[in-house]
Amino acid sequence: MALMIKSRKKKKTNFMKGLWLSISLVLLLTACDSQKETANGTASTKEKVDKEVVVAVPQDPDYLDPFLAQAAGTREIMFNVFEGLLKPNNKGELIPAIAESYKISPDGLTYTFILRDGVKFHHGQEVTAEDVKYSYDLLAGIDTGKPLYTSFSNVESITAPDKKTVAIKLKQREASFLTAVTAAVIPKGYKDSNKTPIGTGPFKFVEYLPGQRLVLEKNPDYYVKGVPYLDKVEFRIIKDAEAAFLAFQSGEIDIYPRIGSEKLEELGKGYKYVSAPQNLVQLLAFNHKRKPFNNKFVRQAINYAIDKDEIIKGVALGKGTKIGSNMSPIMGKYYQEGLEDKYAINIEKAKQLLSEAGYPNGFTTTITVPSNYQFHVDTAQVIAQQLKKIGVKANIETVEWGVWLERVYQGRDYDTTIIGLDGKLDPYEILNKYLSTAKNNFFNFSNHQFDQVLEQARTEVDENKRVELIKKAQTILAEEAAAVYIMDPNTNAAFKDNLEGYQTYPIYVQDMAAIKVKE
């Protein structure tokens, strides 16, 4: 019995040795094959890693739904997900997107668009004229009488005579209407855009984790062949600028848009950057319905007390263009020159105006600034020091981005604030936030002459006359001291030197479809 047991143990031991030897050989061969695939460049894992990038952004989206989103930081991300009938290129020119062509009726009231063949939504459904009609009916408020976008408020009707044709009829001529149809098109009847957005752009939505990241992946059915080049893009939400820079230096981040100018010299080897005007207006906004900013003399006094050159030099390190109204020189022929020096620094004049307004000893106020934009926080600190010279004590209140959107932008509950207003493709769309009836007029600015001039500019088809009206509107904002218009700060974008194709736009977007990883 004992011998028999011994024999079985021996057989079992030999069997186990053979089994482990076989497993080891299989694992070794598998490893060799894996290494061979990697060496030949066919390993899918390595290739996928090579085509993923992480982009630092300082804020959460306000809404994923393109029809609700107001924040420029949201639109810069979702530019990659949504498209309209037309879209802008990096020069600000309108090019075909979902529509392949269009024509305008002789009376200038009807715009007819022919859709491109083969455009699909991210869930695989082909885009039809009914989808466009559904989307733009919502924006124009056809059923509710309340347009979601002011750019669609002039729309009288939208029809889809066939699967590939959309006709939009306007109430009156509008010189800038084509820029409106860059607005997103979503599937007809789709109600979940704020949870799972579906568009037609080069990237598809994957996930959004508030305070952490928003992830996109390549749209394999995109109508532009070979685009995008990346498989995946993660927009990583890092609210603290210093933390974002450390993550960039450590290699966790591949692209750092709007990196502070002071950080560019610290990049070292392995990085490169671009710096260019961005069609953005940085300003100190006043709440015109709150004392003392309902007084024009007070607003003018503060304009005379603020040294824009000092801010540009100290905060932007010289990488900024001084402005005098709500428009950047990047807008070319529409830009009214000379306003940038209308309120050249004059402390005595500022004190005199304050005295005439009934504040000979100054007053105390609060500058509310979104904490995730260090550039604006730094600007607030400089302005607070400058205002001391005229007896104005400015306390700085930093708030989370969500709080700023809710309380300042939507609730209009603030004294003053510093923010950057993103540019648009058309000058009317830049200035219309100052219309007394505009939903996004968080300044509470109201001026009858401004309203009249800008509405004229909206319908004026003679381009020379339109240019003069746009310039006149800018002049009114400057004369009324509607805000302190500081600068168009350069957009600085830094990225790893193995990336190429990064493009700057005259609007607030991150075009990930253009990015390539160098082999």
Side-chain angles (χ1 to χ4, degrees):
M1 189 68 171
L3 180 61
M4 194 172 175
I5 293 173
K6 185 177 180 181
S7 175
R8 285 178 178 171
K9 284 185 177 179
K10 185 175 182 181
K11 287 180 180 179
K12 186 175 181 179
T13 301
N14 290 338
F15 171 76
M16 291 302 294
K17 286 181 178 179
L19 178 61
W20 282 113
L21 180 60
S22 298
I23 292 172
S24 299
L25 286 170
V26 170
L27 290 173
L28 181 61
L29 289 171
T30 301
C32 289
D33 287 342
S34 177
Q35 289 176 0
K36 183 177 179 181
E37 287 182 2
T38 302
N40 290 335
T42 59
S44 59
T45 301
K46 182 176 186 299
E47 183 179 351
K48 189 170 181 58
V49 170
D50 281 349
K51 292 187 178 179
E52 295 179 4
V53 299
V54 179
V55 185
V57 293
Q59 74 287 307
D60 279 282
D62 54 348
Y63 294 96
L64 299 181
D65 186 328
F67 301 158
L68 298 177
Q70 293 288 335
T74 301
R75 291 195 294 271
E76 75 169 329
I77 295 173
M78 303 309 279
F79 175 80
N80 299 284
V81 175
F82 295 112
E83 290 183 330
L85 294 174
L86 305 177
K87 67 185 296 184
N89 62 14
N90 67 328
K91 295 179 182 178
E93 301 164 333
L94 294 178
I95 60 175
I98 293 173
E100 66 176 9
S101 64
Y102 67 90
K103 62 180 180 180
I104 305 172
S105 62
D107 63 5
L109 294 177
T110 302
Y111 290 67
T112 303
F113 298 87
I114 306 301
L115 304 193
R116 186 192 299 269
D117 289 329
V119 179
K120 294 181 179 180
F121 287 112
H122 295 150
H123 61 357
Q125 174 185 309
E126 186 176 353
V127 179
T128 70
E130 287 295 331
D131 298 305
V132 179
K133 174 176 165 53
Y134 170 78
S135 301
Y136 290 175
D137 273 352
L138 288 174
L139 295 179
I142 296 297
D143 296 330
T144 65
K146 297 179 180 179
L148 294 179
Y149 281 16
T150 55
S151 56
F152 277 82
S153 60
N154 188 32
V155 172
E156 180 176 296
S157 65
I158 304 172
T159 56
D162 60 55
K163 186 178 178 181
K164 291 291 182 184
T165 306
V166 177
I168 303 177
K169 186 176 181 181
L170 305 183
K171 299 171 186 175
Q172 56 185 341
R173 286 181 180 234
E174 183 173 351
S176 63
F177 180 68
L178 281 177
T179 62
V181 298
T182 60
V185 171
I186 65 173
K188 181 180 179 180
Y190 190 63
K191 303 294 185 182
D192 291 326
S193 288
N194 208 40
K195 294 181 179 178
T196 311
I198 293 176
T200 61
F203 289 92
K204 301 192 295 183
F205 174 82
V206 176
E207 68 172 354
Y208 166 50
L209 296 176
Q212 298 181 51
R213 63 180 177 271
L214 188 149
V215 180
L216 308 178
E217 67 180 6
K218 180 177 184 176
N219 174 13
D221 297 322
Y222 191 52
Y223 57 84
V224 180
K225 299 303 178 185
V227 174
Y229 307 103
L230 300 173
D231 293 316
K232 180 179 175 183
V233 178
E234 175 189 333
F235 289 93
R236 189 168 299 174
I237 300 159
I238 307 177
K239 298 180 181 181
D240 182 77
E242 190 60 35
F245 185 66
L246 291 174
F248 184 50
Q249 285 190 311
S250 70
E252 295 177 49
I253 303 298
D254 301 295
I255 302 175
Y256 190 171
R258 288 181 302 285
I259 184 173
S261 296
E262 76 283 357
K263 296 295 185 183
L264 295 179
E265 300 304 319
E266 299 179 35
L267 290 177
K269 293 182 179 179
Y271 300 94
K272 53 188 177 182
Y273 71 89
V274 295
S275 182
Q278 60 179 317
N279 196 16
L280 183 120
V281 169
Q282 188 201 33
L283 49 71
L284 172 71
F286 304 123
N287 185 346
H288 287 240
K289 283 192 174 180
R290 183 168 293 183
K291 291 183 178 181
F293 306 109
N294 59 340
N295 190 311
K296 178 179 174 179
F297 286 171
V298 170
R299 301 194 302 269
Q300 289 179 325
I302 291 177
N303 267 273
Y304 277 119
I306 290 177
D307 188 340
K308 302 175 189 178
D309 292 318
E310 183 181 12
I311 297 170
I312 293 171
K313 183 179 179 180
V315 179
L317 299 184
K319 291 182 169 61
T321 304
K322 185 165 60 172
I323 56 175
S325 188
N326 202 107
M327 192 165 292
S328 164
I330 204 171
M331 292 300 292
K333 63 183 179 182
Y334 296 109
Y335 177 72
Q336 178 60 63
E337 297 180 354
L339 297 178
E340 59 274 9
D341 292 316
K342 181 176 179 63
Y343 295 100
I345 186 74
N346 190 329
I347 299 301
E348 291 308 312
K349 178 73 172 177
K351 288 180 177 179
Q352 177 190 337
L353 286 166
L354 278 185
S355 183
E356 291 179 24
Y359 300 93
N361 300 315
F363 56 87
T364 299
T365 188
T366 299
I367 305 174
T368 304
V369 195
S371 59
N372 57 311
Y373 286 103
Q374 190 61 44
F375 188 82
H376 299 325
V377 174
D378 292 344
T379 300
Q381 291 169 346
V382 175
I383 286 177
Q385 291 298 317
Q386 293 176 345
L387 292 181
K388 286 180 179 179
K389 297 177 182 178
I390 60 169
V392 174
K393 180 182 179 183
N395 298 313
I396 299 172
E397 175 193 26
T398 58
V399 297
E400 293 290 327
W401 177 238
V403 174
W404 189 92
L405 284 171
E406 182 178 356
R407 181 154 67 82
V408 178
Y409 187 76
Q410 296 170 353
R412 305 185 186 184
D413 178 16
Y414 72 101
D415 291 344
T416 70
T417 187
I418 296 175
I419 197 66
L421 300 177
D422 62 314
K424 308 293 184 189
L425 299 173
D426 185 85
Y428 173 83
E429 294 295 323
I430 293 174
L431 298 174
N432 66 2
K433 59 178 66 67
Y434 291 92
L435 290 171
S436 56
T437 56
K439 292 181 180 179
N440 58 345
N441 180 0
F442 69 100
F443 320 91
N444 285 316
F445 177 78
S446 182
N447 182 277
H448 182 65
Q449 184 188 15
F450 178 86
D451 289 351
Q452 284 187 318
V453 169
L454 198 59
E455 282 306 314
Q456 280 183 265
R458 180 181 185 179
T459 57
E460 181 57 67
V461 292
D462 183 309
E463 187 62 10
N464 290 329
K465 292 181 180 178
R466 187 165 188 259
V467 166
E468 289 308 308
L469 288 166
I470 293 293
K471 288 183 175 182
K472 186 174 181 179
Q474 292 170 63
T475 302
I476 293 170
L477 292 179
E479 290 174 345
E480 290 296 311
V484 179
Y485 301 101
I486 304 169
M487 69 172 119
D488 176 0
N490 278 18
T491 178
N492 304 316
F495 39 91
K496 292 179 180 177
D497 62 6
N498 68 323
L499 300 179
E500 56 186 20
Y502 187 91
Q503 297 180 346
T504 58
Y505 276 66
I507 54 174
Y508 214 71
V509 300
Q510 296 298 324
D511 183 3
M512 293 294 104
I515 301 296
K516 293 181 180 179
V517 179
K518 287 193 288 189
E519 299 296 333

